[in-house]
Amino acid sequence: MKPRLSRNLQRYIAGVVVACACTVQADDLTWNGEATSNVWNTEATNMPWQNATPEAAPFAAGDNVSFGVPSGTVTTTVQVGEALEAGTVTVADSYTFTTTAESSISGEFAGAGTLSKSGEYLLTLTAAEGTAAGPALAVAEGNLALGGTGTYRALSSMATGTGLTVAEGADITFSEAVNGTDVALQGAMSLESGDSVLERLNGAGSLQLADVATLALSADSSVGTLNNAGTLTSSANLLIEKTVENGGTVEAARLILNGGGNFTTLKTDNLVLGAEISQTAPSVTTQTLGAYSGESMDVEVARLVRGSGDYTLVAATDMGDTTYTLSEGTMARFLDSGYKTTLSQTAEGLVLNLETTNTHYYERHTRTANGRAGGELADFAFDLLDPQANSDKYRDLSAALNALDAYIASGNGRGADSLAANMAGAGIANLNVAWRDQMGRQLNSIRNRMTSMNGGIPCHPVDPKAGVASPLKYTMWAAAEIDYHNQDGETATPGYTLNSIGGTAGVAMLADEDMMVGAAFTGMAGRFGSKGYGSNASGDLDAYYASLFVRKDVGCWNHSLIGSVGFADMSLNRRVNFPGGGYETRGSTDGLGFGVMYEVAKTYRISEDSVAGAWWQPVFNISYIHSSVDGYTERGSDAALRVGKQESDNVIFGLGARMQGVVGENVLNTPAIMETRILGKAIAGRREGSAQVGIPGINETVSVHGSDPGAFGVELGIGFDIPLGKDRGSLIMDCSAEFFSDQTSVNGVLGYRLDF
């Protein structure tokens, strides 16, 4: 027996290291496996082979193996289940390789037999350099992959549901015909001769046909690069992603060229030029261009540079007598894009002339105000940046415009409008509306505290027996507050929600028996979400307020004045989704606001028998609120927006009634003051939010809008001031709700007050 492994023998003699290398010669093995011992692996105890002696032998890496004509009990079924590295693999008869696990065989393939793959697991054949006459291949089950560089005789058959893959980086040649179903072309495949038939061929790899080779396809197919000197036919759609490098005959029911081509003969009913068409370089050069059936050919242009001019579609020395027409879809797209078009056959070839009538392509395919704003932005981007031609720089913007194109081409106007509105960031317009409403909440909250803080209405004598304490000099309070605000979106404008939690600390002083002055500080942490048509955004709205207030009593008349200044820290993350993709942006900004409320009320006793038990007040108030949100620029995407400053000025009127009384002595064992209120409200000034947005690098901006909350509403409220005992302060509780058209807000307060 020859040594089977290469070894390095190292011996240390007298401190000197001597390295001994033994070079081992590979065995030549012949398959001798039987039905019970037909596994090809590298186990030393497994011996389905005969060596040259001959005697049984195992397989080791690098051995040359031969599958000859079987005799006696030798089986033609070979089980494989691991990675096998051989020198040469010669298949002289028909053998079936069955996979029991994902497997691979590498080596120089040879022989006039057939290697048929079965079993559910993938088998990969990696041909070594020099493989020039490998066996024929067949796929009975599962998938077979070909790697390396080499030649096989043929692809004789493929069962339904099986697949063949020419791996990325592989260069595989078939000297005879290929016949089968699905071939995934990731590397290079060459056909040297024969009439080949496949159901479909798909992939970004390259296909080469020699001049005596033909390939017929029966289902939609695609290749990356076609190097064709023979004949390629398809009874369905044929897509060539890159280029046709050499002349040849190509026939297809519908031929789609994404990178142009060079043909000897091109026959098709419908030629689709999918790549960007340039005025300087023709997409197709051909000597003979003819219709696949009949005497006419539709020419479709999938994408065109926005601009007038003459575009050479097909340059030819002899284009025959075929009549060329633009397809209905292409004509419709040009008309929608605002082009006048003519197609003519000149000495230079087939020439498309475009005369632009207007460029508002995306805008004219939108329906709503926010959609038109997004359409305008898309038109600006297309004209000035051309993202689809520069997709490496504008990946998100390019994908969004492609999605808009797809919506428009399919007639989905609402989808195009909603996507355009989302691209324009319609929900951004609700930031200032939410901030304005928070300023209104702050004024209302301070007003409600003032109402109950002096324990009654001074125009009536105070009766200690009624449980109402005499006015004290100082009052301090601290309260936790929660707030929920919801504005429904309308048919074509987004609404928003704002959930806030925070607290207030304040102090008040009775300057005299008829006047109270005080100050309060409030912090609120809020979660903002824009929802509805054309918006998918969320973020934070954290606000901080400083308030001053004064109340003056003149007889039974009460006059209250409140002033608040607020600062906001805002963030907003937007998500724009469309079929096949989407992108996210994020931004942050600051808000500033101030508000003033004046309220006047007159006190009337409800019962003449009660001195201080219950009273009611007609109430009128007027508020002025100014709110602003600073401009900012989003981050995170090449489709991010530049957002302008948002501002609003509003006057709010309230008219209604308030009732107060001492209640709860029997239940709580201590008297408490209860207040209820109801007011009708009206808002003057611009109610809906708006914002100017644009794309960084483009000076043009557009206006987006939020939903309208309505001009008239009602405020309801109830509050309690519950003494906890002498010198132990009071528990304060309050709940308020406001209802406008499509808008609801609810506010709750729980706190503690101490008088001293």
Side-chain angles (χ1 to χ4, degrees):
M1 292 286 291
K2 297 186 295 292
R4 299 190 51 80
L5 299 173
S6 295
R7 303 178 180 87
N8 288 325
L9 304 178
Q10 298 181 340
R11 299 177 180 177
Y12 294 85
I13 300 176
V16 179
V17 178
V18 179
C20 236
C22 300
T23 302
V24 181
Q25 182 178 353
D27 270 350
D28 295 325
L29 304 178
T30 301
W31 178 253
N32 196 40
E34 298 182 352
T36 57
S37 59
N38 66 337
V39 178
W40 180 8
N41 59 27
T42 55
E43 292 182 12
T45 58
N46 182 36
M47 301 183 183
W49 307 90
Q50 280 189 346
N51 59 23
T53 301
E55 60 183 42
F59 169 82
D63 285 348
N64 303 313
V65 297
S66 176
F67 296 88
V69 177
S71 62
T73 59
V74 173
T75 181
T76 58
T77 299
V78 182
Q79 290 189 34
V80 292
E82 61 182 69
L84 301 167
E85 299 179 8
T88 60
V89 180
T90 303
V91 182
D93 203 57
S94 295
Y95 279 78
T96 298
F97 286 69
T98 302
T99 56
T100 58
E102 187 168 319
S103 311
S104 64
I105 304 173
S106 62
E108 184 177 334
F109 291 87
T114 300
L115 190 160
S116 180
K117 188 268 175 190
S118 70
E120 61 178 305
Y121 299 100
L122 174 68
L123 173 61
T124 301
L125 304 181
T126 303
E129 289 283 351
T131 296
L137 303 176
V139 187
E141 291 181 294
N143 296 312
L144 175 66
L146 303 179
T149 301
T151 299
Y152 297 92
R153 193 172 79 253
L155 175 62
S156 61
S157 65
M158 292 176 62
T160 301
T162 63
L164 175 72
T165 299
V166 178
E168 185 175 356
D171 189 354
I172 304 300
T173 299
F174 288 96
S175 60
E176 299 175 14
V178 298
N179 292 281
T181 54
D182 292 331
V183 174
L185 186 60
Q186 299 171 3
M189 183 173 75
S190 301
L191 304 181
E192 289 188 339
S193 66
D195 298 330
S196 300
V197 177
L198 291 175
E199 184 174 335
R200 64 176 56 83
L201 176 67
N202 283 304
S206 64
L207 172 66
Q208 178 170 325
L209 274 68
D211 56 0
V212 293
T214 70
L215 174 60
L217 305 167
S218 58
D220 290 352
S221 300
S222 66
V223 298
T225 298
L226 176 62
N227 188 342
N228 176 37
T231 299
L232 176 62
T233 64
S234 174
S235 57
N237 298 332
L238 176 60
L239 168 64
I240 301 177
E241 288 282 6
K242 297 177 183 176
T243 60
V244 180
E245 295 183 345
N246 291 324
T249 298
V250 176
E251 300 181 13
R254 187 168 188 257
L255 180 61
I256 306 165
L257 301 177
N258 274 350
N262 180 343
F263 298 87
T264 297
T265 300
L266 188 158
K267 295 180 180 180
T268 179
D269 281 337
N270 187 268
L271 176 63
V272 180
L273 304 173
E276 179 179 318
I277 296 175
S278 169
Q279 289 173 295
T280 59
S283 289
V284 181
T285 300
T286 179
Q287 294 178 5
T288 303
L289 180 62
Y292 185 74
S293 61
E295 296 299 327
S296 65
M297 179 190 298
D298 284 342
V299 179
E300 288 190 10
V301 177
R303 185 172 186 277
L304 197 72
V305 174
R306 184 71 59 86
S308 302
D310 291 333
Y311 295 81
T312 302
L313 302 184
V314 178
T317 57
D318 179 12
M319 298 177 64
D321 297 326
T322 302
T323 299
Y324 303 97
T325 59
L326 290 175
S327 68
E328 291 184 5
T330 296
M331 286 296 296
R333 182 161 201 262
F334 286 151
L335 291 173
D336 288 342
S337 300
Y339 287 109
K340 292 180 181 179
T341 63
T342 58
L343 185 66
S344 59
Q345 185 173 337
T346 69
E348 288 76 25
L350 190 62
V351 177
L352 175 68
N353 174 265
L354 298 180
E355 180 183 345
T356 306
T357 58
N358 66 73
T359 59
H360 300 285
Y361 173 69
Y362 293 114
E363 181 189 0
R364 290 185 301 103
H365 283 88
T366 54
R367 304 175 177 180
T368 65
N370 286 330
R372 285 191 293 273
E376 280 191 80
L377 279 185
D379 283 321
F380 292 145
F382 189 101
D383 291 337
L384 301 176
L385 303 177
D386 200 3
Q388 291 150 303
N390 300 281
S391 58
D392 55 336
K393 182 178 180 181
Y394 301 105
R395 183 186 62 180
D396 295 337
L397 199 52
S398 172
L401 293 190
N402 287 337
L404 277 177
D405 287 339
Y407 277 134
I408 294 169
S410 65
N412 188 349
R414 182 170 177 80
D417 188 88
S418 179
L419 174 55
N422 208 350
M423 289 173 61
I428 292 172
N430 286 321
L431 277 177
N432 189 58
V433 177
W435 176 223
R436 178 193 66 195
D437 292 339
Q438 276 289 286
M439 286 299 307
R441 175 211 57 78
Q442 177 68 7
L443 294 175
N444 289 343
S445 183
I446 298 299
R447 179 206 62 192
N448 295 339
R449 296 288 69 70
M450 291 174 62
T451 302
S452 60
M453 270 196 292
N454 70 338
I457 307 301
C459 75
H460 297 292
V462 175
D463 182 3
K465 294 180 181 180
V468 180
S470 300
L472 300 177
K473 288 295 184 181
Y474 297 97
T475 297
M476 298 183 67
W477 84 95
E481 187 168 352
I482 59 173
D483 187 72
Y484 167 75
H485 205 100
N486 177 78
Q487 183 168 307
D488 294 332
E490 299 174 356
T491 303
T493 51
Y496 77 91
T497 59
L498 179 62
N499 295 282
S500 300
I501 186 169
T504 298
V507 60
M509 178 185 70
L510 290 177
D512 56 41
E513 291 185 355
D514 297 325
M515 179 178 289
M516 178 176 63
V517 296
F521 300 92
T522 302
M524 300 290 288
R527 186 64 181 170
F528 172 87
S530 185
K531 60 178 184 175
Y533 191 84
S535 180
N536 181 5
S538 62
D540 297 323
L541 197 164
D542 301 332
Y544 310 92
Y545 309 89
S547 303
L548 298 175
F549 54 90
V550 58
R551 170 174 166 169
K552 177 66 176 177
D553 300 318
V554 181
C556 289
W557 289 91
N558 311 126
H559 302 270
S560 300
L561 183 65
I562 306 165
S564 291
V565 176
F567 302 90
D569 183 10
M570 305 179 184
S571 66
L572 188 65
N573 301 327
R574 292 193 305 118
R575 174 71 185 174
V576 179
N577 295 309
F578 43 79
Y583 60 86
E584 293 184 358
T585 66
R586 56 189 180 275
S588 58
T589 186
D590 299 317
L592 173 65
F594 60 86
V596 178
M597 174 186 285
Y598 168 72
E599 182 175 277
V600 60
K602 187 176 182 181
T603 304
Y604 295 92
R605 282 186 298 184
I606 294 177
S607 171
E608 293 296 331
D609 297 331
S610 174
V611 176
W615 53 88
W616 74 280
Q617 295 175 324
V619 176
F620 170 77
N621 59 43
I622 181 172
S623 304
Y624 167 74
I625 296 175
H626 171 82
S627 61
S628 66
V629 175
D630 291 341
Y632 64 97
T633 299
E634 295 178 324
R635 308 176 303 280
S637 169
D638 56 76
L641 297 175
R642 184 182 73 253
V643 182
K645 186 176 183 178
Q646 304 174 51
E647 288 186 290
S648 65
D649 294 277
N650 295 93
V651 177
I652 305 173
F653 301 92
L655 180 62
R658 178 190 295 120
M659 184 178 72
Q660 287 186 341
V662 178
V663 297
E665 185 170 0
N666 294 331
V667 177
L668 304 173
N669 201 29
T670 182
I673 296 176
M674 181 184 75
E675 176 208 350
T676 60
R677 56 190 174 272
I678 178 171
L679 288 89
K681 308 194 80 170
I683 303 176
R686 186 182 182 90
R687 299 183 305 276
E688 69 175 18
S690 65
Q692 291 293 123
V693 299
I695 298 175
I698 298 177
N699 291 329
E700 304 290 346
T701 62
V702 297
S703 181
V704 291
H705 304 273
S707 58
D708 188 340
F712 301 98
V714 62
E715 177 188 350
L716 304 175
I718 185 170
F720 294 91
D721 189 301
I722 306 171
L724 300 177
K726 184 178 180 181
D727 298 328
R728 294 183 180 179
S730 301
L731 183 67
I732 53 177
M733 295 184 292
D734 192 273
C735 182
S736 296
E738 289 188 346
F739 304 95
F740 286 81
S741 175
D742 299 323
Q743 187 184 72
T744 303
S745 62
V746 179
N747 179 264
V749 175
L750 177 64
Y752 174 76
R753 194 187 86 202
L754 181 64
D755 300 329
F756 56 93

